[in-house]
């Protein structure tokens, strides 16, 4: 009965930390997606704007697209995929919780470490002591909003950037539709050579004036 009670407290702690880790990872992935969207819009706007000033040769357009694609792959890998495949351990999440809630007094980390001695106890720790630490950590964390340690400010900032760039992108397309379509067509055909349009000038000579 006592062992089941200890195991129940330990299981409660692991479940809470698991839910906290999932929310933490979800927050990072959402931030990564927004950052990826902002990066995509920024690269597209910069390329279209530069191309509207001067039509670059094939080599430069290919290099720009290649570097842009490489940057997006890095952003995708680091900010979106890394949090999914490299989730923080329970001890890491427990340390974050301890730093945000000093009232735990390191009980959460101690509970995780001592719980490993439930099956194999080479140090000979007292079972009553392990039970007391687990009970205290279980009771204290049950009364805390652990998800409050998650910082949502990066998501808010990334959202503002993404929305701002998207609005600027749409407004630019509406105000300069011809230039936008031309630049988009040229960049969508990076291996095709295009020549810059001829500049027209009017020269009035005195002999032709009436």
């Amino acid at each position: 009965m006592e062992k089941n009670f200890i195991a129940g407290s330990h299981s409660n702690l692991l479940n809470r930390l698991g839910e906290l880790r999932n929310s933490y990872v979800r927050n990072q992935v959402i931030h990564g997606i927004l950052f990826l969207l902002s990066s995509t819009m920024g690269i597209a706007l910069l390329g279209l704007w530069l191309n509207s000033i001067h039509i670059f040769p094939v080599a430069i357009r290919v290099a720009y697209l290649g570097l842009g694609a490489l940057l997006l792959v890095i952003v995708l890998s680091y900010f979106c995929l890394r949090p999914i495949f490299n989730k923080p351990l329970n001890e890491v999440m427990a340390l974050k919780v301890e730093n945000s809630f000093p009232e735990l007094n390191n009980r959460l980390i101690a509970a995780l470490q001592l719980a490993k001695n439930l099956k194999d106890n080479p140090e000979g720790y007292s079972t009553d002591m392990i039970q007391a630490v687990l009970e205290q950590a279980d009771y204290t964390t049950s009364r805390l909003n652990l998800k409050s340690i998650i910082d949502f400010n990066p998501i808010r900032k990334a959202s503002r950037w993404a929305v701002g760039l998207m609005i600027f992108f749409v407004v630019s397309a509406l105000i300069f539709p011809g230039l936008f379509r031309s630049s988009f067509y040229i960049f969508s055909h990076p291996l095709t050579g295009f020549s810059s349009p001829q500049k027209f000038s009017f020269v009035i000579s005195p002999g032709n004036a009436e």
Side-chain angles (χ1 to χ4, degrees):
M1 182 69 179
E2 182 179 339
K3 291 184 177 180
N4 291 336
F5 188 81
I6 296 176
S9 297
H10 184 222
S11 178
N12 292 337
L13 291 176
L14 294 181
N15 288 337
R16 292 192 190 101
L17 289 175
E19 292 178 1
L20 177 61
R21 178 173 54 247
N22 291 337
S23 298
Y24 181 80
V25 170
R26 190 183 307 114
N27 180 68
Q28 287 189 312
V29 172
I30 293 175
H31 171 256
I33 292 174
L34 292 172
F35 186 48
L36 178 63
L37 178 60
S38 299
S39 301
T40 303
M41 300 296 294
I43 292 173
L45 283 171
L46 179 61
L48 294 175
W49 177 71
L50 291 175
N51 188 77
S52 66
I53 299 175
H54 177 74
I55 298 179
F56 294 99
V58 172
I60 295 181
R61 276 184 281 135
V62 170
Y64 182 85
L65 292 175
L67 290 175
L70 177 61
L71 176 62
L72 294 180
V73 169
I74 293 175
V75 171
L76 174 66
S77 301
Y78 187 82
F79 291 98
C80 297
L81 299 180
R82 183 183 62 89
I84 297 176
F85 295 102
N86 188 27
K87 295 181 179 180
L89 301 175
N90 287 330
E91 288 75 11
V92 175
M93 298 308 303
L95 182 60
K96 293 180 181 294
V97 173
E98 292 276 5
N99 291 334
S100 298
F101 299 102
E103 60 267 32
L104 282 168
N105 293 322
N106 295 323
R107 292 192 188 96
L108 181 56
I109 295 177
L112 294 178
Q113 294 174 342
L114 290 173
K116 299 176 182 178
N117 294 80
L118 292 176
K119 293 183 179 180
D120 187 13
N121 191 6
E123 293 87 356
Y125 289 119
S126 169
T127 305
D128 293 336
M129 182 196 69
I130 297 177
Q131 178 182 354
V133 173
L134 286 171
E135 287 178 6
Q136 291 174 357
D138 182 19
Y139 175 76
T140 305
T141 54
S142 67
R143 300 171 63 86
L144 297 174
N145 180 17
L146 301 185
K147 293 183 180 180
S148 64
I149 72 170
I150 300 176
D151 184 11
F152 291 96
N153 286 325
I155 286 184
R156 296 188 185 99
K157 293 179 181 179
S159 299
R160 288 194 290 267
W161 272 101
V163 172
L165 288 171
M166 189 174 299
I167 292 175
F168 185 76
F169 189 88
V170 173
V171 171
S172 300
L174 293 176
I175 296 178
F176 308 104
L179 189 61
F180 186 87
R181 285 195 299 268
S182 175
S183 297
F184 181 79
Y185 180 81
I186 291 173
F187 258 103
S188 62
H189 297 76
L191 300 180
T192 303
F194 297 94
S195 58
S196 300
Q198 296 291 331
K199 295 183 178 180
F200 295 93
S201 61
F202 296 92
V203 179
I204 301 176
S205 62
N208 294 334
E210 294 184 358

